[in-house]
Amino acid sequence: MMVHHEPRLTDMLEDPVVRLVMERDGVYRDDVLKLMASVARKATKPAVKAAAPKVSAAEPALAGHA
């Protein structure tokens, strides 16, 4: 049975065709690596729960009204 693995980002960035396309588009290897590191840091941060909106005592409750 063959096992297929996804290529690593660093391997993809070394591919000659990928390098040519990146060069044409003005994309740099280091910029891609920095972006991926930033995304990884943000993805591993704990989620921040949004606070429930505050309703002033002067505002009538709208529950059940259409």
Side-chain angles (χ1 to χ4, degrees):
M1 180 165 101
M2 292 185 66
V3 177
H4 297 282
H5 297 281
E6 294 291 326
R8 296 180 304 175
L9 177 60
T10 53
D11 293 334
M12 291 174 55
L13 293 174
E14 296 303 321
D15 181 273
V17 174
V18 171
R19 291 180 70 147
L20 286 171
V21 172
M22 288 173 57
E23 181 180 337
R24 181 199 66 197
D25 293 343
V27 176
Y28 300 96
R29 180 183 185 276
D30 289 344
D31 292 339
V32 173
L33 293 174
K34 286 177 189 174
L35 174 64
M36 292 295 104
S38 173
V39 169
R41 280 192 304 276
K42 289 178 182 178
T44 58
K45 284 185 179 180
V48 177
K49 292 184 180 179
K54 294 183 180 182
V55 178
S56 139
E59 294 178 37
L62 298 176
H65 297 281

